[in-house]
Amino acid sequence: MNDKTDRLLATLKLQPVVPVLVIDDARAAVPLARALVAGGLKAIEITLRTPAALEAIRLVAQEVEGAVTGAGTILNARNYDEAVDAGAQFIVSPGTTQELLDAARSSSVPLLPGAATSSEVMALREEGYDVLKFFPAEQAGGAAYLKALSSPLAGTLFCPTGGVSPENARTYLSLPNVVCVGGSWVAPKAMVEAGDWDGITRLASEAMLLAQ
């Protein structure tokens, strides 16, 4: 577990914001990923919420130099295996089941499991996980909730996702138990559909400044 945790942490520490992408057309995946990487956002989460997702992961993994391709919205072992086969280098789930934990245990690709309560965090710690996704962040209590967890659950790091925006990202990132945040604002649907790759690179560059 330690090697996988180290690799996952190294990925999450590449940038303050991990783009959370919903890709409807796989043909947009490569120019979108290149635009994000050009702006400094190398770790990219492509969610399995559309029929195009696995092909998008495959294309980005094969064709975009510098990208660290992740797969999100992984709900079961079949999703896990399909994403890894497509080339995903890290896996993200909105919650956690025993089936997912078993799939992660048998895979060399690390899992960022989702948790929303202190009990879920404690259960995952018992399974050896101390780097977690906090989801849905704003709806589950936001930065104040995570701050409250920092002392009793010291040593656990989080990537809050869900309702995170340019307006509240700095608040999350200022917390000692937050390693990065996940956000969709760096790749707005309208910009993707318009092919405004320069605009997305600009948003990615602005997101990188949140680390300062």
Side-chain angles (χ1 to χ4, degrees):
M1 180 67 74
N2 286 342
D3 174 60
K4 285 193 280 189
T5 300
D6 289 346
R7 284 189 283 120
L8 179 62
L9 259 182
T11 296
L12 298 180
K13 287 181 176 179
L14 287 172
Q15 61 216 44
V17 181
V18 175
V20 179
L21 308 180
V22 179
I23 296 179
D24 295 306
D25 184 346
R27 291 173 297 181
V30 168
L32 171 56
R34 284 178 175 152
L36 291 166
V37 170
L41 302 184
K42 297 179 180 180
I44 298 167
E45 176 188 337
I46 298 173
T47 61
L48 264 64
R49 300 182 194 176
T50 69
L54 288 172
E55 181 62 15
I57 291 168
R58 185 174 291 108
L59 289 169
V60 172
Q62 292 176 351
E63 298 185 24
V64 183
E65 185 176 354
V68 182
T69 314
T73 319
I74 300 299
L75 305 180
N76 52 50
R78 179 174 58 83
N79 289 163
Y80 205 118
D81 293 341
E82 288 175 342
V84 171
D85 288 345
Q89 294 170 267
F90 64 100
I91 298 293
V92 186
S93 63
T96 315
T97 65
Q98 192 58 53
E99 180 187 359
L100 266 180
L101 293 175
D102 291 344
R105 192 174 292 111
S106 63
S107 176
S108 62
V109 177
L111 170 67
L112 178 66
T117 69
S118 54
S119 293
E120 290 171 354
V121 174
M122 290 167 64
L124 283 166
R125 282 165 58 113
E126 289 182 0
E127 294 283 346
Y129 289 89
D130 53 19
V131 183
L132 311 176
K133 172 178 177 170
F134 178 52
F135 178 84
E138 281 292 283
Q139 296 83 349
Y145 184 90
L146 274 185
K147 185 177 181 180
L149 293 184
S150 62
S151 182
L153 295 173
T156 307
L157 293 173
F158 295 93
C159 173
T161 306
V164 181
S165 67
E167 289 71 39
N168 60 22
R170 284 188 189 276
T171 303
Y172 281 105
L173 291 166
S174 69
L175 299 177
N177 55 346
V178 169
V179 62
C180 64
V181 300
S184 59
W185 79 85
V186 292
K189 186 174 182 178
M191 276 190 173
V192 175
E193 290 178 347
D196 185 3
W197 311 126
D198 289 342
I200 288 173
T201 294
R202 185 178 66 254
L203 290 176
S205 298
E206 291 170 359
M208 284 296 291
L209 297 176
L210 292 170
Q212 298 178 358

